[in-house]
Amino acid sequence: MSEARRRRLQRGAPTCLLGFAVVLLLGSCTPPPQPAPPPPPVVVVPPPPPPRRPFVEETLPSADKPYVIIVGTKQSESEDQQSVFVEGTLRNQGTGATKQIQVKVEALDEAGHVVTTATALPTPQVIQPEESATFVVRFPNDSAVRSYHVEAEIR
């Protein structure tokens, strides 16, 4: 290579390097490209609640029913001691009157077996709510009988 050419190249080298440095600096001064914005969030709208059913007042059928309990019983012998009387009181604690009611009394032996049975209609036969009625049942005086079982039957 000729001397003149080498000198030109050496003089041009710093210029080239300077130009390259300027381009490099300018290129690094530009901001990087912005990333694409994220997509908008997906909004899920819940379905509206079902419409409320309106209150409807309705008349219910009457539930008036009698509920009879046996309030108390007692036993007594007749004056001639030939009979035993079982008497007691019924009370209607229900909300309706009784229509047909009868009392069943079982005479039981020592083992709890039925010796004899008798029935009676209470007085009054129709027992209104919160009212009472009485009954009396007569049995022959039997030495095998040790106790009595009383039930009120409503039909």
Side-chain angles (χ1 to χ4, degrees):
M1 192 184 286
S2 70
E3 185 71 28
R5 187 175 175 155
R6 196 182 316 148
R7 279 190 207 159
R8 270 189 279 153
L9 283 176
Q10 283 178 353
R11 266 191 267 154
T15 309
C16 256
L17 283 177
L18 183 62
F20 179 71
V22 169
V23 169
L24 186 62
L25 283 175
L26 286 177
S28 65
C29 288
T30 59
Q34 292 291 331
V42 177
V43 178
V44 178
V45 178
R52 289 188 174 185
R53 293 177 37 193
F55 285 114
V56 177
E57 188 172 326
E58 58 187 77
T59 304
L60 299 175
S62 175
D64 290 342
K65 293 184 179 180
Y67 179 73
V68 177
I69 62 168
I70 301 165
V71 178
T73 59
K74 70 177 184 175
Q75 305 147 41
S76 58
E77 286 186 350
S78 63
E79 288 182 20
D80 63 2
Q81 296 182 349
Q82 297 296 311
S83 301
V84 174
F85 297 100
V86 177
E87 51 190 301
T89 303
L90 305 175
R91 181 148 180 92
N92 183 357
Q93 292 187 329
T95 56
T98 62
K99 292 184 173 66
Q100 293 182 350
I101 185 167
Q102 76 176 20
V103 177
K104 180 173 111 176
V105 182
E106 298 173 331
L108 307 174
D109 65 11
E110 195 170 318
H113 299 110
V114 177
V115 175
T116 187
T117 302
T119 59
L121 298 176
T123 304
Q125 179 66 51
V126 175
I127 310 170
Q128 297 297 327
E130 301 304 320
E131 291 187 3
S132 299
T134 59
F135 66 91
V136 177
V137 177
R138 181 180 171 194
F139 287 101
N141 195 355
D142 185 346
S143 61
V145 175
R146 296 288 181 244
S147 63
Y148 298 92
H149 176 77
V150 181
E151 292 180 4
E153 298 176 341
I154 300 173
R155 296 187 223 161

